[in-house]
Amino acid sequence: LTYELTACRKASGVRDVRVRGAIGAVQMDAPVDAVGLRTRFIEKGCWIKPFGDVIYLTPPFVIEPNDLSKLTQAIVEELSG
């Protein structure tokens, strides 16, 4: 999570990127459009929880590396695009 979410720091509007245990969070400068963002994540095959000004990842401990990368890349793509 730490390595892959670091790319979000370069995106406009990102205040901070934090990882604590198995939880990753990208904090934005302002609240995000949670419904719109969640819809775009679902279209990419990812269930990611934007809430307020934070986009959370809470993957299971047994997640495969490729599946984790799919989640982190979905966030990076949305914030970069």
Side-chain angles (χ1 to χ4, degrees):
L1 284 172
T2 302
Y3 176 76
E4 294 188 17
L5 289 177
T6 297
C8 292
R9 291 185 185 278
K10 299 175 186 174
S12 176
V14 173
R15 178 180 295 171
D16 195 14
V17 176
R18 297 182 301 277
V19 175
R20 180 83 166 184
I23 301 170
V26 178
Q27 185 174 13
M28 306 301 291
D29 288 335
V32 298
D33 171 15
V35 174
L37 196 52
R38 184 173 49 238
T39 299
R40 291 192 301 277
F41 287 141
I42 290 170
E43 289 169 355
K44 293 176 186 278
C46 299
W47 182 252
I48 298 173
K49 304 181 245 181
F51 181 78
D53 65 346
V54 181
I55 303 167
Y56 289 98
L57 278 182
T58 55
F61 289 120
V62 295
I63 193 167
E64 294 293 328
N66 289 341
D67 292 332
L68 180 60
S69 290
K70 183 175 181 177
L71 296 174
T72 57
Q73 287 308 307
I75 294 173
V76 171
E77 288 171 9
E78 283 300 318
L79 296 181
S80 299

